Amino acid sequence: MKQLQKFFPHALAILGFVLVSTLYFFPVLQGKQIFQSDIAQYTGMAKEQNDFRAIHHEEPYWTNSAFGGMPTYQLGAKYPHDYVGAIDDVLRFLPRPADYLFLYFLSFYVLMLVLKADPLKAFFGAVAFGFSTYLIIILGVGHNAKAHAIAYMPMVVAGFIMVFQRKYILGGLLTMLAVALEVNANHFQMTFYLLILLLILSGYFIYEGIKSKEYKPLLISIGTLIVAGVVAIGANATNLLATVEYAKYSTRGTSDLSFNPDGSKKTTDMAMTYDYITEYSYGIAESFNLIAPRLFGGSNNESLSEDSKIVDFLQQQQVGEGQYISKEQAIEYAKGGMPTYWGDQPIVSAPAYIGAVVFFLAVLALFVDQRKIKYAFLGGAILTLFLSWGKNFPALTDFCIDHIPMYNKFRAVSSIQVILELCFPVLAIMGLQSFFKLEKEKQLKPLLQSGAVGLGLIILLFLSKSMFSFAGASDSTLLQTYGPSFVDAIKADRKTMYSADLLRSGFFILIAAGALWLFVKNRIAQNTAIILVGLFMVADLFFVDKNYVSNKDFVNGHDVEYPFEETPADAEILKDPTNYRVFDIDGLMQGRTSYFHKAIGGYSAVKPQRMQQLFDYQIAKNNLEMLNMLNVKYVIQTDKEGKQRPVINPDANGNAWFVNQVLPVTNSDGEMKALDKLNSKKAAVININEFSEVKNKAFAKDSSATITLDSYLPNHLKYTSTNSKEGLAVFSEMYYEKGWKALIDGKETPIMRADYALRAILVPAGKHTIEFRFEPQVVKTGSTITLVSSIGMLLLLVGGLYFEKKNSEKKIDKRK
């Protein structure tokens, strides 16, 4: 009975998380779904894979619907023995995106309990963490994998801290499970950022252990974490190994080319350019958005009120002879969104606001919490803030890109602020918890100090208003498009938002501090003060979040599951039953074309590198021979009336063909340069240093030589070839050396890379059956490791809980 009573507050908290999650996204209760732009693109990219799975009840692990062909490892491939994923499914039982919001709450709540917060404070801290504006925004746009990984971060930190608190069994088990779930979320950039925080925390605990000369507990803790980490990683081996394998062949891998598309010499061998990595760098002054949301204009599509200057401007615009825009129309336009953001980043959907009350309470923690771990969280917040500045803090950023392994594999450096957005709510609840533990006579001074810091910063920003120009990088475009009066109106609204949000944040700090002051003066009870501060903290974030992700973003579930409508151009192309590719000129960087056709474009952060290079070095220069060899039979163009029309390419090479000769080269530079003047129907470019079987070999084909595609599946293609002589056959399929097998009459034969990105094989004279099968060894190897690790995880969980129970019983017996 006592155990049930002990669990009751936690059960209430979990029930509260369920209610808050579903109420915030309450349209999910009506069967609606949030329309997430990134998920719509993913749906297009994964269409062929998902259709194959539904029909054949197995995984293809390859799709030809995007970028000419690529593995599905980063497109939602399902692997054998993914038991960690099954656990995750249980935890995410709510409709999306309420499931991720619930995970935010639950995971942070666990961390707060480990840091000795009582359930009520932990509850409010968890809701404040989950409502951090950036975490809500990524749910709105569909960065689900990112949200997924962020959600498990606090739980990983909780297990990590428990181990160093010498709760080796429970801490180790929690770490093992949380790390397994974190890795399973499959957003390695967020996990990499989490490692930075864990390194800072490790430094703190190791320093404390060495200082107190407690070496044995320190070594046991490190050993426990190593075991937990190895087992957790092993339970995700298939996905990890497949990702590592593919990464080398993606745009995140190192290029073999020594020159740029314009012919200039490359000065770096980085997978991504410095400008690409740091494109989304947070402005230094823009960092104050963390405590006042719209200091820098909010977003690129900010809804403005009816008393905005833009409304006045719009009413002065003529829509016809003698006719002006009405006030109602002007208000509607303004509320629809205006480009008020004037910070350093190209595009911002919302400010990264952590909450004024959260900031105030975090400052309070620095004055009242005696635990030195607060400095580890503060250090994590400060370091990641500096790193988020990217090119605006080149000394640190350049060092990390040049010297920190993996750092140059990730872009959008501003997203590292997720660590800051974790650390500040942690500090806030630590501050709230410690404040109420102080003796009454000691509470007033730190309260006044924290209020002075928070309000003092607000006042300082007010006084600094005249130092800012309120001019954005996009203003020159706005000036050319809409004229100086429009830009002046936008600037005026930016200034209004700057002042209004400072007042707003100052107000929330004031009323939160006021609630604590009333408690100090014995005007209200402790729980009343906690509830008031908690409500202020959550309300502050809630109303900001609703400006950016609200009920209007939900649509009928059918529109989410089937996000693209077939156009007349699509319908015309789909009448062709043969196997071919489509090039949508205006839709190259999206997943829509992949939803209906086999496209040479697509939407992915990890594009196949050689396909991207064909675009950059050849197709972008109008080398139409590349479209021929890629078997692009249809090009979708937009006419003057804005209608899409399919244009047939009569020169497309087809699915496969024999060539007369090999153009030998010795490196990737030679391969790419040879494409400039290639006649792909007659010759094939092959790197003879990699594929020596064609070295010094002559080829010929008779006039009746043919190769026909008899059957098509994304992972299994079957051809019939006829040639009176031995020939070199080129296939309009993307070369990927890991997993693809070629068979001639059932006997395996080597696959060569031809024309920089395609497959080629030597075919004996006569009539033959040729097959390509995708049977990735990495999936087989990874699945075996995953199965063994999952069994190990289960044994550790059962054994660990058994021993923990026995230890608890022994402690109870000793007390008796």
Side-chain angles (χ1 to χ4, degrees):
M1 190 67 180
K2 286 184 179 179
Q3 290 296 322
L4 287 174
Q5 289 177 341
K6 196 174 179 182
F7 183 71
F8 184 69
H10 306 308
L12 280 179
I14 292 170
L15 178 61
F17 296 150
V18 171
L19 290 173
V20 174
S21 300
T22 50
L23 288 175
Y24 186 84
F25 292 121
F26 84 85
V28 299
L29 301 175
Q30 302 168 333
K32 293 183 178 181
Q33 296 182 40
I34 193 167
F35 186 85
Q36 301 170 305
S37 56
D38 276 32
I39 297 304
Q41 301 299 334
Y42 159 78
T43 301
M45 292 277 290
K47 180 72 160 52
E48 184 180 48
Q49 168 193 241
N50 294 338
D51 288 348
F52 181 94
R53 184 188 297 140
I55 295 170
H56 299 279
H57 308 290
E58 60 178 279
E59 289 293 308
Y61 297 119
W62 186 270
T63 180
N64 287 305
S65 68
F67 300 112
M70 64 183 293
T72 60
Y73 304 148
Q74 292 300 307
L75 285 176
K78 297 183 184 298
Y79 301 110
H81 309 302
D82 183 18
Y83 305 115
V84 175
I87 295 171
D88 176 66
D89 290 339
V90 171
L91 291 173
R92 291 192 296 113
F93 60 93
L94 292 174
R96 189 166 296 173
D99 57 344
Y100 291 122
L101 188 55
F102 173 79
L103 269 190
Y104 288 160
F105 297 157
L106 179 65
S107 182
F108 193 87
Y109 183 77
V110 171
L111 174 56
M112 286 297 92
L113 294 181
V114 169
L115 288 171
K116 308 298 183 185
D118 61 61
L120 183 60
K121 299 186 190 77
F123 173 82
F124 281 117
V127 177
F129 168 72
F131 279 161
S132 184
T133 305
Y134 182 77
L135 303 193
I136 295 296
I137 280 299
I138 59 178
L139 295 180
V141 297
H143 294 173
N144 288 354
K146 182 183 286 187
H148 202 169
I150 292 169
Y152 285 119
M153 283 182 177
M155 199 180 292
V156 174
V157 175
F160 193 85
I161 291 173
M162 283 184 74
V163 169
F164 281 107
Q165 289 175 341
R166 303 187 190 182
K167 298 174 183 176
Y168 304 121
I169 295 177
L170 288 181
L173 294 178
L174 179 59
T175 302
M176 178 181 67
L177 185 60
V179 170
L181 291 165
E182 169 70 30
V183 175
N184 191 262
N186 197 36
H187 199 292
F188 301 117
Q189 183 172 3
M190 294 300 104
T191 303
F192 180 81
Y193 293 159
L194 172 61
L195 285 174
I196 293 175
L197 176 60
L198 294 181
L199 284 173
I200 293 170
L201 287 168
S202 297
Y204 161 74
F205 284 117
I206 291 171
Y207 170 77
E208 289 294 317
I210 293 174
K211 189 175 75 169
S212 58
K213 298 183 179 180
E214 295 179 327
Y215 303 116
K216 184 178 178 181
L218 187 60
L219 291 173
I220 294 173
S221 297
I222 293 171
T224 301
L225 290 173
I226 290 172
V227 171
V230 168
V231 175
I233 290 170
N236 290 282
T238 315
N239 181 42
L240 288 170
L241 290 174
T243 299
V244 169
E245 178 192 278
Y246 173 64
K248 293 182 292 184
Y249 302 96
S250 77
T251 49
R252 302 298 173 104
T254 303
S255 171
D256 291 334
L257 295 176
S258 66
F259 63 98
N260 294 309
D262 62 3
S264 61
K265 187 176 180 180
K266 277 191 172 181
T267 57
T268 177
D269 61 354
M270 285 197 307
M272 297 184 291
T273 65
Y274 181 86
D275 288 341
Y276 186 69
I277 293 170
T278 61
E279 182 181 13
Y280 286 85
S281 294
Y282 217 72
I284 295 174
E286 191 178 351
S287 302
F288 291 112
N289 271 348
L290 295 165
I291 59 170
R294 297 182 304 168
L295 286 188
F296 278 73
S299 73
N300 291 92
N301 192 40
E302 191 74 16
S303 179
L304 297 179
S305 64
E306 60 184 63
D307 59 351
S308 64
K309 295 297 181 184
I310 280 292
V311 170
D312 295 338
F313 167 80
L314 290 172
Q315 289 182 84
Q316 298 169 18
Q317 306 308 301
Q318 284 187 315
V319 291
E321 192 172 337
Q323 271 191 315
Y324 290 85
I325 294 176
S326 68
K327 185 174 183 179
E328 290 72 22
Q329 288 175 313
I331 291 171
E332 186 179 348
Y333 290 147
K335 286 186 176 180
M338 289 291 163
T340 55
Y341 174 73
W342 55 282
D344 288 357
Q345 300 176 81
I347 299 173
V348 168
S349 298
Y353 181 55
I354 61 169
V357 179
V358 168
F359 175 76
F360 161 68
L361 293 177
V363 173
L364 182 63
L366 302 180
F367 290 110
V368 300
D369 197 293
Q370 299 304 308
R371 293 170 289 181
K372 293 180 181 177
I373 195 173
K374 67 184 179 183
Y375 296 118
F377 285 110
L378 179 64
I382 293 172
L383 176 61
T384 52
L385 176 63
F386 290 168
L387 288 171
S388 75
W389 292 343
K391 60 188 176 186
N392 298 315
F393 192 179
L396 179 61
T397 299
D398 294 358
F399 174 83
C400 291
I401 288 174
D402 294 338
H403 301 290
I404 305 298
M406 297 293 294
Y407 197 86
N408 64 2
K409 302 294 183 184
F410 308 117
R411 70 181 301 237
V413 292
S414 60
S415 62
I416 200 173
Q417 284 193 359
V418 296
I419 300 302
L420 178 151
E421 288 150 5
L422 168 60
C423 291
F424 264 93
V426 168
L427 289 170
I429 302 307
M430 287 175 65
L432 196 62
Q433 181 77 19
S434 298
F435 175 80
F436 286 105
K437 285 186 175 181
L438 288 177
E439 297 173 9
K440 271 287 176 75
E441 60 271 16
K442 294 182 179 180
Q443 289 176 328
L444 186 58
K445 182 179 177 181
L447 177 60
L448 293 175
Q449 289 172 323
S450 305
V453 171
L455 293 173
L457 184 56
I458 298 294
I459 293 169
L460 181 62
L461 288 169
F462 254 118
L463 296 175
S464 304
K465 183 177 178 179
S466 60
M467 296 171 58
F468 296 110
S469 67
F470 295 91
S474 64
D475 285 1
S476 57
T477 304
L478 297 176
L479 187 66
Q480 292 175 1
T481 308
Y482 302 109
S485 297
F486 178 86
V487 174
D488 290 342
I490 283 286
K491 284 185 178 180
D493 286 329
R494 289 168 179 166
K495 292 176 183 179
T496 300
M497 283 188 280
Y498 182 96
S499 300
D501 279 22
L502 283 175
L503 286 171
R504 181 187 184 280
S505 292
F507 169 75
F508 272 104
I509 291 173
L510 196 60
I511 59 173
L516 296 179
W517 181 83
L518 289 173
F519 166 74
V520 172
K521 295 299 181 180
N522 297 314
R523 305 287 177 83
I524 57 175
Q526 177 173 312
N527 278 351
T528 304
I530 293 169
I531 291 170
L532 285 174
V533 171
L535 289 175
F536 296 150
M537 181 166 59
V538 171
D540 173 21
L541 289 158
F542 175 89
F543 289 114
V544 172
D545 294 342
K546 278 296 182 182
N547 288 330
Y548 302 102
V549 180
S550 63
N551 301 336
K552 64 179 173 59
D553 299 305
F554 284 82
V555 296
N556 186 286
H558 179 274
D559 296 336
V560 174
E561 293 170 13
Y562 304 95
F564 304 110
E565 291 186 9
E566 185 180 288
T567 66
D570 295 323
E572 184 67 26
I573 294 171
L574 290 170
K575 291 177 183 178
D576 188 335
T578 61
N579 193 63
Y580 52 85
R581 293 196 180 90
V582 174
F583 177 29
D584 185 346
I585 295 176
D586 295 328
L588 182 62
M589 305 301 292
Q590 44 76 21
R592 187 198 174 282
T593 312
S594 300
Y595 189 79
F596 297 102
H597 315 288
K598 296 178 182 69
I600 63 170
Y603 184 88
S604 175
V606 281
K607 307 175 187 72
Q609 186 181 78
R610 285 185 174 257
M611 187 70 223
Q612 183 63 46
Q613 289 169 335
L614 285 181
F615 280 120
D616 295 340
Y617 288 76
Q618 300 294 339
I619 297 174
K621 299 176 183 178
N622 294 317
N623 186 346
L624 299 182
E625 189 63 30
M626 299 300 99
L627 302 186
N628 297 337
M629 75 180 200
L630 291 169
N631 193 24
V632 173
K633 192 173 181 181
Y634 295 95
V635 177
I636 298 177
Q637 295 180 334
T638 304
D639 62 20
K640 294 179 179 179
E641 297 175 356
K643 293 180 180 179
Q644 287 190 330
R645 299 191 183 278
V647 177
I648 194 165
N649 174 21
D651 298 321
N653 288 12
N655 301 117
W657 58 94
F658 284 107
V659 294
N660 296 317
Q661 68 175 122
V662 169
L663 300 179
V665 295
T666 56
N667 55 35
S668 294
D669 285 357
E671 288 182 75
M672 182 59 75
K673 290 175 180 177
L675 298 181
D676 293 345
K677 297 180 180 179
L678 175 68
N679 183 338
S680 62
K681 292 181 180 65
K682 294 182 178 181
V685 178
I686 294 182
N687 184 338
I688 57 173
N689 282 347
E690 290 186 48
F691 307 101
S692 59
E693 46 264 65
V694 296
K695 192 173 183 179
N696 301 321
K697 206 163 188 179
F699 295 99
K701 65 175 182 177
D702 61 42
S703 58
S704 61
T706 59
I707 305 177
T708 56
L709 177 65
D710 299 325
S711 64
Y712 168 83
L713 290 173
N715 60 352
H716 184 199
L717 300 101
K718 203 169 190 178
Y719 305 81
T720 298
S721 74
T722 312
N723 193 356
S724 61
K725 302 170 184 176
E726 181 188 36
L728 179 66
V730 179
F731 297 82
S732 186
E733 301 294 333
M734 300 304 291
Y735 177 82
Y736 185 76
E737 67 176 300
K738 304 288 186 179
W740 278 106
K741 292 181 179 179
L743 300 100
I744 300 177
D745 300 329
K747 185 178 179 180
E748 189 170 349
T749 190
I751 304 174
M752 294 172 282
R753 186 180 65 247
D755 301 343
Y756 198 75
L758 302 182
R759 302 175 206 164
I761 61 172
L762 290 172
V763 182
K767 185 176 181 180
H768 302 283
T769 297
I770 300 171
E771 293 180 85
F772 284 101
R773 293 180 178 271
F774 191 57
E775 299 172 352
Q777 182 61 42
V778 70
V779 173
K780 299 174 184 176
T781 303
S783 297
T784 301
I785 297 171
T786 298
L787 177 60
V788 172
S789 299
S790 297
I791 293 171
M793 180 180 286
L794 178 62
L795 293 174
L796 285 172
L797 283 168
V798 173
L801 292 174
Y802 173 78
F803 283 114
E804 186 65 25
K805 183 182 178 185
K806 285 292 183 184
N807 289 338
S808 297
E809 289 173 353
K810 285 180 183 178
K811 289 178 183 178
I812 292 171
D813 291 339
K814 284 181 180 179
R815 288 172 189 167
K816 290 179 180 178

